[in-house]
Amino acid sequence: MSADGQGRSHWFDDDAGPVVRPYAMTRGRTSSQGQHRLDLIAVVVAEPHADDPEGDHMLSPEHVDIVELCRDIPQSVAELAAELDLPIGVVRVLVGDLVDAEFVHVNRPVPPAELPDESILRDVINGLRAL
């Protein structure tokens, strides 16, 4: 007999409500079409014309939540994952879907290799001071 005394076992917590597996939210996908790798610090910004994401019946509630969170304040991919309590891989797929549907755009960080070298910046500052 199980712990609940009814002869059946529960694999979920009654207080948690229905459990949705992350792969169900992404329909089993691990990436979206045309999705580029999204860094944790990539910033997601809602498009100005994305006024009513709830009106699009192709979007899941999680998609709508992402657009709503990014409407007032742009959010990083990591912040979205934390706020929605979802795995980062799921958030990347959902954000990729929203980019494809033109509800959001992503500002990707500058790769470290493309950042100017600190010594060059010091030389420029010293040159400006010399003027």
Side-chain angles (χ1 to χ4, degrees), residues 86-101:
L86 292 174
I88 199 76
V90 170
V91 172
R92 283 179 172 152
V93 172
L94 296 176
V95 168
D97 293 344
L98 291 169
V99 169
D100 291 343

Side-chain angles (χ1 to χ4, degrees):
M1 185 165 287
S2 69
D4 65 2
Q6 298 176 352
R8 58 191 170 114
S9 64
H10 289 285
W11 56 270
F12 60 92
D13 183 359
D14 288 332
D15 295 334
V19 177
V20 177
R21 298 282 184 210
Y23 61 82
M25 289 180 217
T26 62
R27 298 180 205 112
R29 297 171 298 136
T30 57
S31 64
S32 64
Q33 292 179 329
Q35 175 187 1
H36 301 286
R37 178 141 172 85
L38 296 174
D39 293 329
L40 293 176
I41 58 173
V43 177
V44 182
V45 181
E47 293 290 354
H49 67 273
D51 289 335
D52 186 25
E54 293 176 2
D56 189 331
H57 299 292
M58 297 300 290
L59 297 180
S60 70
E62 293 79 17
H63 285 114
V64 173
D65 289 344
I66 290 171
V67 175
E68 293 298 325
L69 285 170
C70 297
R71 183 175 312 286
D72 296 326
I73 301 172
Q75 304 278 323
S76 72
V77 173
E79 289 171 323
L80 289 170
E83 183 70 29
L84 297 170
D85 195 25
L86 292 174
I88 199 76
V90 170
V91 172
R92 283 179 172 152
V93 172
L94 296 176
V95 168
D97 293 344
L98 291 169
V99 169
D100 291 343
E102 299 180 354
F103 279 97
V104 300
H105 68 271
V106 177
N107 295 329
R108 291 177 176 84
V110 176
E114 294 179 16
L115 292 173
D117 186 20
E118 186 178 334
S119 64
I120 293 173
L121 294 175
R122 287 180 202 263
D123 290 344
V124 169
I125 290 172
N126 290 337
L128 289 172
R129 285 184 181 148
L131 294 175

